[in-house]
Amino acid sequence: QVQLVESGGGFVQAGGSLRLSCVASGAIASINAMGWYRQAPGKERELVASQRVDGTTNYGDSVFGRFTISKARNTVSLQMNNLKPEDTAVYFCHTKYQEARGWPEVDIWGQGTQVTVSS
């Protein structure tokens, strides 16, 4: 079965940096997109950044200019600079993929990694 493994979360002071990584493995013929979402207590899950296989990227308004996403075949990383307390959340890796060419696209979520930013 397809699996996502996330790493890089932790505790950092405001203005600091963290780098999140996610690795996908399993029966995957094509990864169409990978990205990161986050969810803070009492809030809806929101897009942080995503990247399609063609290189197209999308960023959430609140992180634009501070975070950078990068994707290889089965991995995605998120470089987070100038972190703010408002960035505190659980960060989830998300992948859209096909098990075989021409098959329906499906998606999978990682279990999440905690990022805590202190003032």
Side-chain angles (χ1 to χ4, degrees):
Q1 199 169 29
V2 175
Q3 180 179 346
L4 301 180
V5 178
E6 303 152 320
S7 63
F11 185 90
V12 66
Q13 293 192 64
S17 298
L18 286 173
R19 185 176 179 87
L20 305 182
S21 295
C22 175
V23 180
S25 63
I28 301 173
S30 176
I31 293 179
N32 299 329
M34 298 186 76
W36 292 92
Y37 292 72
R38 68 186 183 187
Q39 187 167 22
K43 295 185 177 180
E44 296 288 317
R45 188 171 298 186
E46 65 176 355
L47 171 71
V48 179
S50 64
Q51 186 168 2
R52 298 186 65 185
V53 68
D54 66 1
T56 302
T57 59
N58 284 293
Y59 289 91
D61 291 341
S62 63
V63 307
F64 186 79
R66 299 187 297 121
F67 294 6
T68 303
I69 192 168
S70 58
K71 176 186 176 295
R73 180 187 175 276
N74 67 327
T75 65
V76 64
S77 297
L78 183 70
Q79 179 66 44
M80 304 185 293
N81 296 327
N82 192 24
L83 283 160
K84 304 176 180 180
E86 306 92 271
D87 296 318
T88 296
V90 177
Y91 285 68
F92 297 90
C93 182
H94 180 250
T95 299
K96 294 182 177 181
Y97 71 98
Q98 297 166 273
E99 291 187 344
R101 189 173 180 271
W103 286 22
E105 184 181 76
V106 296
D107 68 329
I108 187 172
W109 292 91
Q111 66 184 78
T113 183
Q114 177 70 45
V115 171
T116 302
V117 184
S118 63
S119 60

